[in-house]
Structures are given as structure tokens and as C-alpha cells.
Amino acid sequence: MTFDTKLLTSSDDDIREAAEIIKNGGIVGMPTETVYGLAANAEDPDAVEKIFAAKGRPQDNPLIVHLADFSHTKDFVKDIPDIASIMAERFCPGPLTMIFPKKDRIPDITSAGLDTVGIRIPAHKAARKLIEYSGKAIAAPSANLSGSPSPTTAEHVMKDMDGKIPAVIDGGSCPVGVESTVISFENGKIRILRPGFISAEELSEFGEIIIDKHITSAADDNEKVRSPGMKYKHYSPKANVTVIDGDREKYIGFVNSHTGSNIYAMPFDSDEQLCTIPAVPYGDTSEEQAARLFAVLRKFDEIGAEQVYARCPSMDGVGLAVYNRLLRAAGFEVIKL
Ligand code: AMP
Ligand code: MG
């Protein structure tokens, strides 16, 4: 089915219109503080199927379920460890997804056949209203075509989803810019399955942290991973991206000696002046880099870049999330100088 995709505002009336679409089994582009999501009633298998179809998402990659308040989590999951409730007081609402054993009311298609489900309480006002007005638990992956950079503006969603979904709510640019931190609980320890704005350093106040090895390394074809998303190459623009790991002097020396048509540098803002090849910078601090990363990767598609040399970000704080996304955009191709 094709649609005239309607661009809705974040007004109450428009969000109520989007909520009606959700109640009727449809899907809607929804802003959150992390990235835009593709929202559907998490308990309606037909609605959830529409998300997989619109994205071209592999059927074995589960969806995160979004609720208005952490107190509703118990209705959808079998067991909440004490440590999760304590962490929720600090981080919910916010960009944190916690994995729990699911109750049967979460259909298999939503959890991609796993017996667990990821729960998040988004902080973005429009997302919260959409949950409230629809009265549904909302399943929502990022609203990009599978494999493309995640959308951080309504225009990005339109680019990927125009004609495929009935509506997108425009909530402006997403302030965080990278997807939620995903964690699971293992005998009182906290395993980070996907890094995000809530950093390992912050989480470590609540328990021992295990950083899953696949955050910074590729999984082999037949390797069993704890989070299905780890298997996939994600966030890729059409250009070949290479991560260049070195200090400013070495990075500048490298890019300036790699001239050619459609070759671009992706430096920090403060390196840009020193680049003699065309450059699209992506920020200086880790927070700026998180907020701009996906828009910059999409920009390279617009300008027809064929090769992009990205300066390796810091791995502290939210920098680990930036590195994790960039590494996947680069298909794990890193040159260490
Ligand atoms: P996205 O919806 O695009 O933000 O991707 C959601 C990410 O969360 C994917 O990498 C999933 O593999 C991961 N995820 C969602 N639910 C679970 C779960 N029950 N167990 C492990 N990982 C999950
Ligand atoms: Mg995604």
C-alpha cells in the first residue's frame, strides 16, 4: 500500500490524529529525544508487521517497547530486578532501554521470537503524548530504512518513509542524536548491549558493568550474540567510510595526502580549517558528535561522496556510542596511525 505521507506538527490536535492512526493499527513516525522512531501498537502483530515491512528490517531483530511510565513495566514483563527499579528512578524517563523477561501479551513478532523485551520510557513530549493519547504500549525501532543512518529530523524520516507510512510527527531535531543505551541484567551485573547517551560511567554507580565485546568488534557470521542488532552492519551511507584513529596532526597529514574526486574528510570542528580536501565536520565534544553524526552521514549521500575518512572519536562517556555507530557505518574498517 502507498500513502500520501502527512507531515504533522507537534500540536495536541495533530498528535491526537497520529494516536488515532496507532489505535487503528497503523504506523507513524515519532520524534524522541534520541532519534525518530516508527511507532505502532506493540500488542498488535499486524501493526508491528507493518514496521518490519516499511523498514525492510530483518525479522529476527526485536523492537523496543515504549511506555509512558516505568510503573507500567510490570504489566508487560515477568520480573523486574530491584536494581532496575532503582535505576529507573534516576534514568526514566530518558534514553535508557532495559531488557526483561516478557509476558505473553507482548507478541512474538515484537520480540522477534525472544522471551525478553526491551522497555523504554521516552522523555520527549510528543512521544509521551502519543503513548498517552493512543493508550497503547508503543513498539518503535528507528524510523530509517534498515541499514541506513538513523533519522534525527522529520525530513530524514520523510526521505526514507515517504509513501510508505501515513504520517510523521515533526518534533524538530533530536537533541541526543544516537539511539538509547540498551542494558540487560545478569546476576546483579549490568551488561551494556548498545552504548548510548547514558554512559557506562553513569551506569557504574548502580553495579558492576560488563561492556559487551560486540560493541567495539564485529560478530562472526555464525557467532551467537546477546542482542540481534549487533549482527548487522548499520548506519551506512552509500560512501565507503573509514575510521582514522590518530591525533590531529596524524589525521590531517593522512587526509591531506588522500586527494581525489568524491573523497571527503569527516573531521572534528576544530580540525576543519586544516583540511585541504573537502570536509564535513561532525563536532568537537562527544555530545555534539552524537547529535550530528547521523545527519552528517546522510549529508555524504546528498553530496555523492564515495570515500569518507572520519576522525576516530573519543570513547569516553557518550563517545563510546558515537564510536560504536561510526564503526558500523564503516563496516569495522579502521586505520590506526
Ligand atoms: P532500534 O529499534 O533500531 O533502536 O534497535 C533496537 C536495538 O535493541 C537492536 O539492536 C536490538 O537488537 C536491541 N534489542 C531490542 N530488544 C532486545 C532484546 N529483547 N534483547 C536484546 N536486544 C534487544
Ligand atoms: Mg535502528
Side-chain angles (χ1 to χ4, degrees):
M1 195 193 290
T2 56
F3 298 90
D4 268 340
T5 304
K6 197 165 172 183
L7 192 58
L8 298 170
T9 70
S10 296
S11 71
D12 262 22
D13 281 353
D14 277 13
I15 297 177
R16 286 190 194 280
E17 187 176 331
E20 284 305 312
I21 298 174
I22 300 277
K23 283 199 262 183
N24 292 323
I27 63 176
V28 171
M30 155 183 96
T32 81
E33 68 274 24
T34 57
V35 302
Y36 276 72
L38 209 49
N41 175 1
E43 294 184 84
D44 177 347
D46 295 333
V48 170
E49 170 55 35
K50 291 176 187 166
I51 293 179
F52 281 91
K55 281 180 64 75
R57 185 174 175 101
Q59 294 284 341
D60 68 348
N61 200 1
L63 306 183
I64 291 167
V65 173
H66 296 73
L67 304 174
D69 194 277
F70 188 75
S71 63
H72 304 161
T73 304
K74 62 179 185 329
D75 300 333
F76 297 90
V77 314
K78 284 182 181 157
D79 178 53
I80 303 176
D82 290 345
I83 176 179
S85 304
I86 295 167
M87 290 173 81
E89 279 174 32
R90 167 84 163 271
F91 298 117
C92 296
L96 181 68
T97 297
M98 298 191 251
I99 310 283
F100 303 106
K102 79 173 185 75
K103 283 188 174 165
D104 290 342
R105 65 186 287 188
I106 299 288
D108 282 345
I109 184 169
T110 303
S111 67
L114 299 178
D115 52 13
T116 55
V117 62
I119 301 284
R120 173 167 163 225
I121 319 301
H124 196 288
K125 270 197 189 136
R128 299 183 61 74
K129 284 183 179 172
L130 186 63
I131 299 169
E132 191 194 320
Y133 296 167
S134 65
K136 306 293 182 197
I138 286 192
S142 52
N144 51 293
L145 291 173
S146 215
S148 293
S150 296
T152 53
T153 65
E155 294 76 58
H156 294 163
V157 181
M158 274 297 202
K159 184 122 211 300
D160 283 16
M161 294 295 156
D162 195 14
K164 295 186 171 185
I165 63 175
V168 180
I169 300 169
D170 190 348
S173 294
C174 301
V176 170
V178 290
E179 303 84 343
S180 59
T181 307
V182 178
I183 60 171
S184 62
F185 301 98
E186 279 179 24
N187 310 318
K189 294 182 187 163
I190 301 160
R191 178 180 289 271
I192 302 181
L193 298 169
R194 179 174 74 183
F197 188 73
I198 295 178
S199 65
E201 292 86 336
E202 280 177 279
L203 295 172
S204 69
E205 275 180 44
F206 296 85
E208 193 183 320
I209 301 292
I210 307 167
I211 297 187
D212 198 280
K213 68 173 181 173
H214 290 121
I215 283 175
T216 53
S217 70
D220 292 334
D221 281 351
N222 295 317
E223 200 171 349
K224 209 169 159 20
V225 291
R226 284 188 169 79
S227 182
M230 290 168 163
K231 287 189 300 204
Y232 299 107
K233 180 176 162 180
H234 273 100
Y235 320 116
S236 306
K238 293 185 187 77
N240 187 60
V241 178
T242 309
V243 178
I244 306 300
D245 185 3
D247 62 17
R248 169 170 298 152
E249 201 184 326
K250 287 185 176 144
Y251 175 74
I252 292 297
F254 180 91
V255 293
N256 287 350
S257 64
H258 284 72
T259 52
S261 62
N262 299 322
I263 300 180
Y264 286 82
M266 186 174 144
F268 299 170
D269 286 2
S270 51
D271 308 328
E272 191 188 359
Q273 296 287 321
L274 303 169
C275 294
T276 54
I277 69 167
V280 183
Y282 74 111
D284 272 320
T285 65
S286 297
E287 285 76 14
E288 287 167 358
Q289 291 172 354
R292 276 162 54 192
L293 178 73
F294 289 131
V296 167
L297 290 175
R298 282 175 176 264
K299 176 101 189 157
F300 286 119
D301 277 348
E302 274 168 41
I303 57 185
E306 285 168 20
Q307 174 64 53
V308 173
Y309 293 115
R311 180 156 175 214
C312 189
S314 150
M315 279 177 235
D316 296 336
V318 64
L320 185 63
V322 177
Y323 179 68
N324 168 266
R325 307 310 190 271
L326 192 56
L327 201 57
R328 286 179 153 74
F332 294 92
E333 192 187 335
V334 181
I335 296 178
K336 210 168 163 58
L337 300 178

